[in-house]
């Protein structure tokens, strides 16, 4: 499995300089907008772009035909993709946290109020991937590309809807209870992690079933 994971990272290595330059540009824009969290948001976009490019490259070079001829189980091939997205999320989260922290220092804002945003934003990368991966395995990357945009928008629309509910003070009792707890931030983060891991687990099982039935 290490070789399968390494294969994806080697593909992305070719675009490292381009994405590094993009991060620097986004960092500058975030400073200009006085928004430390801007870089975290744009890092998520980079993560989604890398994920799509990985599948596109595999499809272009007919990687699955070659992979299925290797002495590896199909479950391993799928598991490597899911492991890769988790590693990518951790890496991008760390990079994003550094940029967000530096932005906060430059803008003279409390660093620890912004750095956690990097982790929260990049929980969305594996979550969105969990929703889209089964579709990619079933129909291919081109048909699933629009779903990435749709699922990317859903969490932000949900946050906006929650804010509107809070402003009208018509929150469900459970949400109100959580928001009133002294350790609400930890609870929300743990809840987000739990939901993401559950989504990945279900998604992985569906993707394996699809991939095992495919003929190349």
């Amino acid at each position: 499995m290490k070789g399968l994971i390494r294969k994806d990272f080697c593909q992305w290595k070719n675009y490292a300089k381009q994405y590094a330059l993009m991060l620097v540009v986004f960092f500058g824009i975030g400073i200009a907008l006085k928004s430390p969290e801007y870089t975290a948001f744009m890092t998520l976009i980079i993560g989604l772009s890398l994920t799509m490019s990985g599948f596109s490259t595999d499809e272009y070079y007919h990687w699955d035909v070659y992979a299925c001829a290797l002495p590896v189980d199909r479950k391993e091939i799928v598991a490597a993709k899911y492991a890769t997205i988790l590693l990518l999320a951790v890496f991008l989260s760390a990079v994003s946290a550094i940029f967000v922290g530096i932005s906060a220092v430059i803008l003279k804002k409390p660093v620890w109020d912004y750095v956690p945003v990097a982790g929260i934003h990049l929980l969305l990368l594996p979550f969105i991937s969990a929703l889209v991966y089964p579709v990619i395995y079933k129909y291919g990357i081109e048909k699933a590309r629009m779903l990435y945009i749709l699922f990317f928008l859903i969490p932000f629309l949900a946050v906006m809807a929650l804010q509107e509910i809070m402003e009208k003070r018509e929150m469900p009792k459970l949400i109100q209870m959580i928001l009133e707890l002294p350790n609400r931030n930890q609870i929300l983060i743990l809840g987000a992690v739990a939901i993401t891991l559950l989504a990945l687990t279900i998604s992985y099982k569906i993707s394996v079933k699809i991939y095992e039935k495919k003929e190349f």
Side-chain angles (χ1 to χ4, degrees):
M1 184 180 293
K2 287 182 181 179
L4 295 173
I5 295 172
R6 186 179 178 184
K7 183 266 298 179
D8 280 331
F9 278 94
C10 285
Q11 287 179 6
W12 295 331
K13 187 178 178 181
N14 297 327
Y15 307 103
K17 291 181 179 179
Q18 297 175 29
Y19 285 111
L21 180 60
M22 287 172 65
L23 274 173
V24 173
V25 172
F26 294 147
F27 172 74
I29 294 173
I31 297 294
L33 295 174
K34 296 182 179 180
S35 175
E37 64 268 36
Y38 178 83
T39 307
F41 176 79
M42 298 311 297
T43 306
L44 174 60
I45 302 294
I46 289 175
L48 293 172
S49 176
L50 286 170
T51 303
M52 288 189 288
S53 68
F55 275 104
S56 294
T57 303
D58 288 349
E59 195 171 278
Y60 180 80
Y61 288 104
H62 305 289
W63 157 252
D64 291 304
V65 177
Y66 176 75
C68 290
L70 297 174
V72 291
D73 190 82
R74 289 199 179 193
K75 286 183 180 180
E76 283 188 68
I77 297 172
V78 176
K81 281 291 185 184
Y82 281 82
T84 299
I85 199 63
L86 288 173
L87 291 172
L88 179 63
V90 171
F91 173 74
L92 290 179
S93 183
V95 171
S96 180
I98 293 170
F99 277 99
V100 170
I102 295 172
S103 298
V105 170
I106 293 173
L107 296 171
K108 296 180 180 180
K109 295 188 177 185
V111 176
W112 293 111
D113 286 354
Y114 289 94
V115 170
V117 174
I120 293 171
H121 271 72
L122 286 164
L123 274 175
L124 289 173
L125 177 57
F127 179 75
I128 294 170
S129 298
L131 296 176
V132 180
Y133 274 19
V135 180
I136 294 176
Y137 280 115
K138 181 70 175 178
Y139 300 107
I141 184 63
E142 291 305 320
K143 291 184 179 179
R145 198 177 294 275
M146 291 303 297
L147 284 178
Y148 262 109
I149 299 172
L150 175 62
F151 288 134
F152 174 74
L153 292 174
I154 287 174
F156 295 98
L157 293 174
V159 170
M160 290 172 63
L162 181 60
Q163 287 177 343
E164 187 174 345
I165 290 171
M166 290 173 65
E167 289 174 1
K168 292 180 179 179
R169 297 183 179 180
E170 297 177 356
M171 289 180 290
K173 290 183 178 180
L174 178 60
I175 296 176
Q176 190 172 1
M177 286 173 59
I178 293 173
L179 293 176
E180 289 175 354
L181 291 172
N183 56 343
R184 61 183 178 277
N185 290 337
Q186 291 88 335
I187 292 173
L188 291 171
I189 291 172
L190 288 173
V193 171
I195 291 171
T196 300
L197 291 176
L198 178 62
L200 283 168
T201 302
I202 295 171
S203 175
Y204 167 71
K205 290 182 178 180
I206 294 172
S207 294
V208 167
K209 287 184 179 180
I210 294 171
Y211 198 71
E212 286 182 332
K213 291 179 181 179
K214 291 193 77 171
E215 294 182 5
F216 299 101

